[in-house]
């Protein structure tokens, strides 16, 4: 496994670029926007924390941050794209 993939797995629990592409193709992103996707990831993290799974919660929060950074640099949209 390449170093980048190992780092992605530690930080995000997935290949982050593949994850971002799946988000961009999702109905939620297209019709509700990136902010709603981030809110959903944060809600999932809260639920994981409530059940004692802090490592998964950390990964979900890292995914949310990666999306926010892409929204801040303009490569993704906060609002609906359709």
């Amino acid at each position: 496994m390449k170093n980048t993939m190992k780092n992605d797995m530690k930080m995000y629990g997935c290949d982050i670029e593949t994850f971002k592409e799946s988000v961009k193709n999702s109905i939620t992103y297209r019709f509700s926007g990136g902010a709603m996707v981030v809110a959903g990831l944060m809600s999932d993290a809260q639920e994981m924390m409530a059940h004692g799974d802090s490592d998964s919660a950390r990964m979900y929060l890292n995914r949310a941050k990666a999306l926010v950074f892409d929204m801040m640099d303009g490569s993704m949209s906060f609002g609906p794209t359709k």
Side-chain angles (χ1 to χ4, degrees):
M1 192 181 297
K2 294 190 323 191
N3 260 355
T4 303
M5 181 57 116
K6 285 181 185 178
N7 289 338
D8 279 6
M9 290 307 291
K10 284 182 188 177
M11 291 176 62
Y12 307 107
C14 64
D15 177 315
I16 194 61
E17 293 306 319
T18 301
F19 175 74
K20 290 176 187 178
E21 284 306 310
S22 72
V23 167
K24 289 178 186 177
N25 292 320
S26 72
I27 289 174
T28 302
Y29 177 73
R30 289 186 286 161
F31 290 99
S32 298
M36 185 59 74
V37 175
V38 168
L41 288 167
M42 291 168 48
S43 291
D44 292 344
Q46 286 177 307
E47 189 66 22
M48 289 173 195
M49 285 187 281
H51 292 282
D53 189 356
S54 60
D55 196 48
S56 291
R58 176 188 58 78
M59 289 183 214
Y60 270 68
L61 290 172
N62 284 340
R63 290 177 198 173
K65 290 188 298 186
L67 295 179
V68 168
F69 294 143
D70 277 7
M71 289 177 224
M72 290 170 57
D73 76 12
S75 59
M76 289 183 77
S77 172
F78 278 102
T81 60
K82 295 253 178 192

